[in-house]
Amino acid sequence: LTSDLKSAASYLEMCALALGNAEGIYEKTLEYVTNRTRYEKPMASFQRVAHRLVDMKTTIDVAKAWIMDAARRVDEGIGEPIRFYQGKMWIPETCFNLVNQCIVLHGGLGIDKEMGLGHYQAFAQRTLFMERPSDIHRDMVASLMGLSVDFVW
């Protein structure tokens, strides 16, 4: 593999870890809101909760499709750095947001140690910084798009 493809494979691995983490908490949340009742109805039957679950499942499916496509490209030796940078910035951020939404659906219990969800949030936070923070990848995408980026820190 070229150095670009080695980097791409590394980003891909990190994205898969972020997605696996998000899928894990999503499955726990789906089970929780299906079994937990409010007003004698499963929480999953409420429109707002159902819509959140649909959005989460859509996010997971889109991220999974991106990862599968990116893996195919790496296997075929197709190096498109912009796509890999885009995935690296989008998937961890999206999965981090999904994890936080899952915790919210668990209510006050979601953050309690006894619920066992905190490690999902901690890992999601770490994926934001693995292989450099998203803003670095945004700068790379901007550069590949021909945009001039002033680094102001």
Side-chain angles (χ1 to χ4, degrees):
L1 290 177
T2 66
S3 64
D4 280 349
L5 288 176
K6 284 180 185 175
S7 292
S10 180
Y11 297 157
L12 182 59
E13 179 182 13
M14 194 279 320
C15 288
L17 289 169
L19 179 60
N21 184 60
E23 279 187 293
I25 194 170
Y26 170 79
E27 292 299 328
K28 286 183 176 284
T29 301
L30 182 60
E31 180 182 350
Y32 178 79
V33 297
T34 301
N35 295 321
R36 177 96 167 138
T37 59
R38 288 274 193 238
Y39 312 112
E40 300 178 18
K41 293 181 181 180
M43 285 176 56
S45 70
F46 297 122
Q47 184 182 43
R48 185 164 176 87
V49 173
H51 285 184
R52 276 192 182 191
L53 293 169
V54 167
D55 288 347
M56 288 179 202
K57 178 66 172 142
T58 302
T59 296
I60 287 168
D61 290 346
V62 169
K64 193 177 289 185
W66 183 92
I67 289 169
M68 296 303 290
D69 181 62
R72 179 188 57 78
R73 289 171 185 276
V74 168
D75 286 346
E76 292 174 1
I78 300 170
E80 295 175 291
I82 195 168
R83 292 178 58 87
F84 297 114
Y85 292 131
Q86 288 170 325
K88 167 47 184 98
M89 66 186 194
W90 182 76
I91 290 176
E93 288 181 355
T94 302
C95 289
F96 177 76
N97 292 334
L98 187 149
V99 166
N100 286 329
Q101 288 178 32
C102 286
I103 288 173
V104 167
L105 288 177
H106 285 265
L109 294 174
I111 205 70
D112 284 351
K113 254 186 179 176
E114 293 78 28
M115 196 60 140
L117 303 177
H119 68 283
Y120 290 101
Q121 189 176 39
F123 188 79
Q125 182 76 43
R126 279 194 291 278
T127 65
L128 295 174
F129 298 98
M130 290 177 175
E131 297 291 342
R132 299 193 261 343
S134 295
D135 283 345
I136 300 297
H137 295 282
R138 280 187 177 82
D139 290 341
M140 297 302 291
V141 170
S143 175
L144 290 168
M145 291 172 58
L147 303 173
S148 175
V149 178
D150 291 329
F151 297 98
V152 180
W153 296 93

